[in-house]
Amino acid sequence: MCGIVGYVGRRPAAPLIFEGLQHLEYRGYDSAGIGLIKADDTFELYRNVGRVAALLECFEPRQSDSHVGIGHTRWATHGAVSVLNAHPHRSYHGDFLLVHNGVIENFKTLKSFLLEKDYAFYSDTDTEILANLIEFYYQQQATTEPASFLQAVQEALRHVQGTYGLAVLCQDCPNHLLAARNGSPLLIGIGDNEHIVASDAAAIVTYTSQVIYLRDREIALMSSDDLQICTLQSENVSAEVCTIDWSPEEAERGQHEHYMHKEIYEQAQVIVNAIRGHISDDFSSPRFGGLAPLGNRWNEIDRIVFCACGSAWHACLEAEYLIEHYAHIPVEVEYASEFRYRNAPLSKRTLVVVVSQSGETLDTLAALAEAKRRGYPVVGITNVVGSTISRETDCGIYQHAGPEIGVASTKAFTSQLCILAMLAVYLGRLRHMDYTEGVSFIQALQELPQKIEETLLLEQQISEIAQRYYQSEQFLFLGRQTLFPVALEGALKLKEIAYVYAQGYPSAEMKHGPIALVSKECPTVIFATQAAIFPKTLSNIQEIRARNGPIIMVATGEIPMDPSESEAFVIIPKTHPALQPILATIPAQFFAYHMALRRGCDVDKPRNLAKSVTVE
Ligand code: AGP
């Protein structure tokens, strides 16, 4: 997906847009561009491939006299990474500049239509087609007033199939900025004699905490002191103004070299935030006020289906183990992109839960829509207040983990593990778990932040392990039961930021094929924190060692393992079994981070990735 910023107001637009794009660069960084309406009411356009900073090669933001502009940082979908394909795109006759996040699915039909109308194209993007479609309908209008600008966009978007977050400038309306949304997030910051449009709050929070979250098929036309929101059918919309619940400092890197490093270290506070307000008065059970809308349904559900992607999917897999163990409710974990087409058989007492850090992942939104289409109640767990998932679900739980800027999920993942462990015990205490079990879990929960701080002290030891293995090109990650999702997450971290092929498996499954990979060139990371089943894991260790496979162990102190039996050994604090995966994840995060550093990778903006995938 991409990052969009738009501005109209009392300040110079270019520096604010440039800085906003830098805050959104984690959303995509193939190319960037800024389009402005100058004081003489003409357009100026700057685009470059690479990071936002590359724009400084073609202009100096502080020298611009513009107070209206749009900007974009791209994650390529249609068309290669090039200046010609970079946004903003200009319409054929020069009336419009436009930036877009999303995918126009019927772009071929629209392009054919426009070619018949003698339009020509310079890029390979679907976005340029949209700019020309808007211009085509604008030139049908009787006037060049802002109302005609709005009507042209409405008419064009009524012919569009697909997703978009848009910011548009019209040269005839030099004091106006238009924004529109369908499927790709877009917020409007309400400032003092100014409005800021952005893909997420990180580009707005410096100037105002008052925002409106545009909803699907809504359009906003704004000047510095006026804002009109309506639908594609021109019905006026009264939008709710929300308050951003975090400060600008939280979106900064501070003294850390990378956002990922900062966010790994924020995890103790993240757990404090996840727990806050979610413990019963007698300290014997978690509680979730946000789940109240489902009332007694919590006692009646006989199956839970989780839908998510990536790290959030791994967290849901953890929830399967914990909910089935503590609440005896059958759980299914679906890749969201599969659920929407699979026609899964669901009973009337099924509950669907969608989990998403960004709350905007399109595959997860599609699964949500499918569950709602079939009439099922849907619970949402997300980290972004006002996100689509938070607004489209029947009820839910906010993670309150603060903005996660690093593309590789760290604190959001452990926050989800904590909330899902609490949900498992909450459901268990409605059914089979007795008071003492509940009290024991709550006590462990309250001690967890301190144990995270202790685990963070392992960074240097893990960095040294990475120093030994950073030239390895493949790894296995193994874990049993509740540590299997941690093995999957550790492998994903290594893949996405160090570009090393890694695969997670249930430990015993290694014998059924993957053992063929075991050799000196393929180290294995093994998570072993459950003493009762350790003898089985020890067998796997022996099988690997018999084939000269290096072993990196992540274990608790109670595991009867001779350190000489592995090339590297990391001891993490022991905690409640339902919370142990959270501590086991931290060494995997550090390992991927230090492997990436030694391999010269960009930790916060890894190649080909984007923070929130708002395309299918
Ligand atoms: C995790 O490190 C990845 N960046 C990615 O798999 C991510 O978890 C996935 O895209 C889901 O994102 P979401 O939680 O915002 O829905």
Side-chain angles (χ1 to χ4, degrees):
M1 32 110 273
C2 312
I4 287 176
V5 181
Y7 180 79
V8 56
R10 57 190 167 82
R11 301 174 209 261
L16 182 146
I17 293 169
F18 180 80
E19 180 190 319
L21 289 179
Q22 290 185 305
H23 281 300
L24 299 188
E25 205 165 28
Y26 68 92
R27 300 174 61 86
Y29 27 87
D30 296 330
S31 60
I34 289 181
L36 303 157
I37 299 183
K38 297 193 294 188
D40 64 2
D41 295 349
T42 60
F43 282 150
E44 55 181 332
L45 177 58
Y46 308 98
R47 301 184 293 176
N48 209 344
V49 296
R51 300 292 162 79
V52 171
L55 286 174
L56 296 177
E57 295 168 16
C58 39
F59 94 122
E60 170 43 64
R62 287 188 299 272
Q63 288 174 0
S64 164
D65 62 5
S66 168
H67 289 261
V68 188
I70 56 178
H72 186 270
T73 179
R74 184 177 184 230
W75 183 67
T77 54
H78 287 66
V81 176
S82 68
V83 173
L84 278 181
N85 288 335
H87 303 208
H89 283 286
R90 186 165 193 162
S91 59
Y92 182 62
H93 297 293
D95 292 341
F96 295 92
L97 288 181
L98 179 147
V99 292
H100 168 225
N101 176 23
V103 173
I104 306 299
E105 292 179 350
N106 61 331
F107 70 95
K108 287 181 181 175
T109 307
L110 297 175
K111 186 166 186 175
S112 302
F113 168 77
L114 290 163
L115 288 168
E116 288 169 10
K117 303 295 182 186
D118 298 327
Y119 275 82
F121 296 83
Y122 58 80
S123 81
D124 304 321
T125 68
D126 53 348
T127 304
E128 186 193 3
I129 296 167
L130 187 50
N132 285 337
L133 190 66
I134 291 169
E135 182 175 85
F136 171 76
Y137 287 110
Y138 180 68
Q139 297 199 342
Q140 317 291 311
Q141 302 292 321
T143 73
T144 58
E145 298 300 317
S148 300
F149 176 15
L150 175 61
Q151 284 163 19
V153 175
Q154 286 171 315
E155 182 66 34
L157 293 181
R158 283 196 286 265
H159 291 82
V160 163
Q161 295 163 19
T163 59
Y164 53 80
L166 293 180
V168 191
L169 299 179
C170 175
Q171 197 158 239
D172 293 331
C173 307
N175 302 310
H176 283 80
L177 168 67
L178 184 143
R181 175 222 151 111
N182 189 46
S184 296
L186 214 52
L187 295 76
I188 301 169
I190 317 290
D192 173 18
N193 203 21
E194 61 187 2
H195 288 106
I196 306 167
V197 170
S199 303
D200 89 16
I204 294 175
V205 70
T206 305
Y207 305 97
T208 177
S209 63
Q210 301 305 295
V211 295
I212 287 172
Y213 293 86
L214 270 188
R215 288 171 295 194
D216 283 350
R217 288 173 297 284
E218 288 183 351
I219 299 181
L221 181 65
M222 64 204 86
S223 61
S224 58
D225 56 3
D226 179 55
L227 171 63
Q228 170 194 356
I229 302 177
C230 61
T231 66
L232 294 188
Q233 286 71 34
S234 301
E235 296 130 355
N236 284 329
V237 170
S238 59
E240 175 194 2
V241 178
C242 302
T243 301
I244 298 170
D245 66 346
W246 44 272
S247 67
E249 292 69 33
E250 289 182 80
E252 300 303 332
R253 218 170 37 208
Q255 83 280 7
H256 296 270
E257 186 182 355
H258 299 99
Y259 281 108
M260 181 179 177
H261 193 261
K262 170 181 175 245
E263 289 152 9
I264 289 172
Y265 274 89
E266 288 180 331
Q267 290 180 112
Q269 182 57 48
V270 159
I271 296 305
V272 170
N273 296 351
I275 297 170
R276 186 179 298 116
H278 290 157
I279 293 177
S280 64
D281 294 339
D282 67 354
F283 295 91
S284 74
S285 171
R287 69 179 176 191
F288 295 103
L291 301 184
L294 289 189
N296 283 336
R297 199 175 188 98
W298 292 103
N299 297 78
E300 297 158 2
I301 53 174
D302 65 4
R303 184 158 171 248
I304 300 176
V305 174
F306 283 93
C307 296
C309 304
S311 293
W313 188 91
H314 297 152
C316 294
L317 188 62
E318 190 66 59
E320 175 177 338
Y321 284 101
L322 299 178
I323 292 173
E324 293 190 345
H325 178 81
Y326 291 107
H328 304 178
I329 300 173
V331 172
E332 183 95 30
V333 182
E334 297 261 8
Y335 284 109
S337 54
E338 289 297 301
F339 176 79
R340 68 178 297 197
Y341 297 116
R342 201 168 74 81
N343 196 20
L346 306 177
S347 75
K348 284 305 171 200
R349 292 165 61 191
T350 296
L351 178 73
V352 177
V353 181
V354 292
V355 179
S356 170
Q357 187 282 132
S358 63
E360 301 295 350
T361 297
L362 199 60
D363 289 326
T364 308
L365 295 182
L368 165 55
E370 173 60 10
K372 291 183 72 173
R373 183 190 67 80
R374 295 172 63 179
Y376 288 94
V378 187
V379 172
I381 297 175
T382 185
N383 189 36
V384 178
V385 174
S387 63
T388 302
I389 279 183
S390 71
R391 288 184 283 110
E392 298 290 331
T393 46
D394 296 273
C395 63
I397 303 167
Y398 278 124
Q399 296 178 230
H400 296 303
E404 184 175 71
I405 308 299
V407 168
S409 185
T410 49
K411 66 175 183 175
F413 175 69
T414 49
S415 164
Q416 288 163 0
L417 289 183
C418 182
I419 287 169
L420 290 165
M422 291 162 69
L423 180 63
V425 174
Y426 167 75
L427 292 169
R429 290 282 289 129
L430 291 177
R431 291 167 168 78
H432 318 282
M433 282 183 80
D434 67 20
Y435 175 83
T436 49
E437 285 180 284
V439 167
S440 167
F441 174 78
I442 296 297
Q443 281 173 342
L445 202 54
Q446 293 174 313
E447 294 163 2
L448 187 59
Q450 177 53 40
K451 295 198 172 184
I452 288 176
E453 296 291 0
E454 291 168 27
T455 308
L456 293 169
L457 296 175
L458 294 169
E459 178 179 9
Q460 180 53 37
Q461 184 185 342
I462 294 160
S463 172
E464 289 161 7
I465 294 171
Q467 178 61 35
R468 288 170 57 187
Y469 293 105
Y470 76 94
Q471 292 171 315
S472 300
E473 293 299 334
Q474 54 182 336
F475 283 77
L476 290 177
F477 283 72
L478 305 180
R480 283 179 185 267
Q481 300 287 303
T482 54
L483 275 297
F484 168 43
V486 177
L488 293 174
E489 176 64 10
L492 175 63
K493 292 280 101 40
L494 199 57
K495 279 186 276 212
E496 60 179 338
I497 65 169
Y499 315 149
V500 171
Y501 186 73
Q503 190 61 34
Y505 286 100
S507 299
E509 189 60 20
M510 175 275 292
K511 306 189 297 295
H512 306 283
I515 195 170
L517 295 174
V518 169
S519 69
K520 284 180 63 177
E521 289 69 43
C522 178
T524 300
V525 178
I526 297 184
F527 298 92
T529 63
Q530 310 107 317
I533 54 176
F534 180 68
K536 308 299 182 189
T537 300
L538 188 54
S539 303
N540 303 141
I541 291 170
Q542 302 302 349
E543 288 148 7
I544 292 168
R545 294 187 59 77
R547 293 159 179 83
N548 300 317
I551 287 181
I552 301 166
M553 281 283 288
V554 178
T556 50
E558 63 170 4
I559 296 300
M561 168 77 187
D562 177 354
S564 67
E565 293 280 303
S566 64
E567 279 62 33
F569 205 89
V570 177
I571 298 290
I572 60 174
K574 179 154 182 58
T575 183
H576 190 285
L579 303 173
Q580 194 70 62
I582 294 169
L583 297 182
T585 298
I586 295 171
Q589 295 168 343
F590 276 138
F591 184 66
Y593 175 79
H594 285 287
M595 285 281 287
L597 288 186
R598 283 167 177 76
R599 293 172 66 94
C601 301
D602 186 326
V603 168
D604 283 333
K605 301 184 187 74
R607 69 184 183 198
N608 306 341
L609 290 183
K611 181 60 183 173
S612 168
V613 183
T614 56
V615 293
E616 289 180 272

